């Protein structure tokens, strides 16, 4: 099954950490090594769900296949192994690292956990922005909605964007921004409902939308299946449909997400002047 112009799967490429400059020894007197590009260390939250683990792994694999010139290393900020320290430790010591959080908003994990973990390493390391907000996330959300039969032309519809929630106001703001972008894209009222830490809670947002609209769709703003997706379905009583998360096991990761991860890497690399 292809999704949103997915990239075709390709044969696995090995990483050549040091490449010659292209001048022959005859002209230069010796081969000169060119440092490999900074490693892309993709750090997700982590989950006990086998489906969630497979879905995240597919995204990391898709980034690797799309950019074989990069060393792409996966890791986790919680629940799973390898943790951040072990993931950074897997990068050769003479190579810089750019940590890309596979997180939809910038909360405690981005601002505190990853900053602390990366500062403890004796290497050139920087942390990129979280994945959201970004229009490419809206592309995937819209695709999931259409796949579940949502038609924006039908009158009287409402969407509730189901987000994990955070005690960090910056993360909550990020989620609300995504809700506003989705509303602008579809021309349908979108309310953000949170599963924890922030308000309105998803169940309350669904109930309020049901009182206003003839049809309610819950758009799942989560990276992959797991605890929070189970909670989304449990708290969506009264909704007509609940869409799948952005990533699903058995599917190649959507091309917009692959491009977004790489763009976060390139942006952070440039800002940190890592070449």
């Amino acid at each position: 099954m292809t999704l949103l112009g997915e990239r075709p799967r390709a044969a696995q490429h090995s990483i050549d950490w040091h490449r010659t400059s292209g001048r022959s020894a005859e002209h230069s007197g010796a081969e000169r090594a060119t440092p490999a590009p900074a490693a892309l260390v993709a750090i997700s939250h982590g989950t006990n769900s086998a489906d969630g683990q497979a879905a995240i792994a597919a995204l990391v694999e898709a980034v690797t296949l799309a950019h074989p010139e990069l060393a792409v290393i996966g890791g986790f900020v919680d629940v799973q192994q390898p943790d951040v320290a072990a993931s950074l430790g897997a990068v050769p010591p003479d190579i810089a690292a750019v940590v890309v959080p596979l997180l939809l908003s910038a909360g405690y994990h981005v601002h505190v956990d990853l900053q602390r973990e990366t500062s403890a390493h004796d290497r050139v390391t920087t942390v990129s922005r979280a994945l959201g907000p970004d229009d490419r996330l809206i592309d995937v959300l819209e695709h999931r909605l259409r796949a579940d039969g949502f038609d924006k032309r039908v009158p009287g519809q409402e969407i509730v964007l189901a987000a994990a929630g955070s005690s960090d106001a910056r993360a909550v703001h990020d989620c609300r921004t995504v809700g506003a972008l989705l509303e602008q894209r579809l021309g349908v009222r979108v309310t953000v409902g949170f599963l924890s830490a922030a308000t309105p809670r998803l169940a309350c947002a669904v109930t309020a939308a049901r009182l206003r609209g003839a049809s309610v769709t819950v758009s799942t703003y989560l990276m992959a299946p797991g605890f929070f997706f189970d909670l989304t379905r449990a708290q969506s009583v009264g909704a007509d449909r609940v869409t799948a998360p952005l990533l699903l096991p058995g599917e190649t990761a959507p091309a917009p997400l692959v491009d977004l991860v790489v763009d976060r890497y390139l942006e952070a690399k440039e800002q940190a002047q890592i070449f």
Side-chain angles (χ1 to χ4, degrees):
M1 175 178 179
T2 57
L3 172 63
L4 290 171
E6 291 166 348
R7 305 175 185 278
R9 297 176 68 86
Q12 180 69 43
H13 294 75
S14 61
I15 302 298
D16 181 9
W17 289 104
H18 296 286
R19 300 187 303 273
T20 60
S21 64
R23 296 178 60 191
S24 67
E26 179 182 356
H27 290 92
S28 65
E31 292 185 351
R32 296 190 302 173
T34 300
L40 191 164
V41 183
I43 299 295
S44 63
H45 182 275
T47 177
N48 289 319
S49 165
D51 284 346
Q53 292 172 7
I56 293 293
L59 175 59
V60 176
E61 179 187 20
V63 173
T64 302
L65 295 175
H67 291 273
E69 77 282 5
L70 296 180
V72 180
I73 298 169
F76 309 93
V77 75
D78 199 2
V79 183
Q80 289 178 253
Q81 293 293 323
D83 60 14
V84 178
S87 299
L88 288 172
V91 180
D94 57 336
I95 302 297
V98 177
V99 173
V100 178
L102 302 185
L103 303 171
L104 296 175
S105 56
Y108 186 87
H109 287 314
V110 173
H111 293 300
V112 179
D113 288 337
L114 290 180
Q115 298 297 333
R116 181 182 64 246
E117 293 286 348
T118 54
S119 65
H121 272 259
D122 185 19
R123 75 163 70 252
V124 177
T125 308
T126 191
V127 180
S128 83
R129 291 190 290 149
L131 298 183
D134 192 276
D135 281 338
R136 283 161 289 194
L137 296 172
I138 308 304
D139 293 340
V140 184
L141 287 170
E142 183 179 8
H143 178 86
R144 293 296 187 207
L145 284 163
R146 294 187 185 282
D148 264 9
F150 176 82
D151 185 347
K152 65 181 181 181
R153 297 170 297 181
V154 177
Q157 297 190 97
E158 292 213 18
I159 293 173
V160 178
L161 187 73
S166 174
S167 58
D168 190 312
R170 292 166 292 188
V172 172
H173 180 266
D174 286 349
C175 294
R176 295 194 191 282
T177 298
V178 169
L181 290 172
L182 185 61
E183 179 172 295
Q184 183 179 30
R185 171 78 64 88
L186 298 176
V188 175
R189 179 170 180 163
V190 176
T191 304
V192 182
F194 297 95
L195 295 160
S196 67
T199 57
R201 291 301 174 92
L202 177 59
C204 295
V206 169
T207 299
R210 169 59 73 190
L211 292 173
R212 292 189 302 267
S215 176
V216 178
T217 297
V218 172
S219 177
T220 301
Y221 187 51
L222 301 170
M223 284 295 289
F227 173 78
F228 278 110
F229 184 50
D230 292 342
L231 200 58
T232 296
R233 289 182 291 195
Q235 293 192 10
S236 296
V237 176
D240 296 277
R241 61 178 69 86
V242 178
T243 67
L246 303 183
L247 297 168
L248 285 174
E251 289 185 357
T252 303
L257 281 182
V258 176
D259 291 341
L260 179 54
V261 171
V262 175
D263 279 357
R264 289 290 185 261
Y265 162 85
L266 293 173
E267 176 188 67
K269 186 169 171 281
E270 181 178 1
Q271 289 180 350
Q273 296 188 335
I274 298 173
F275 302 105

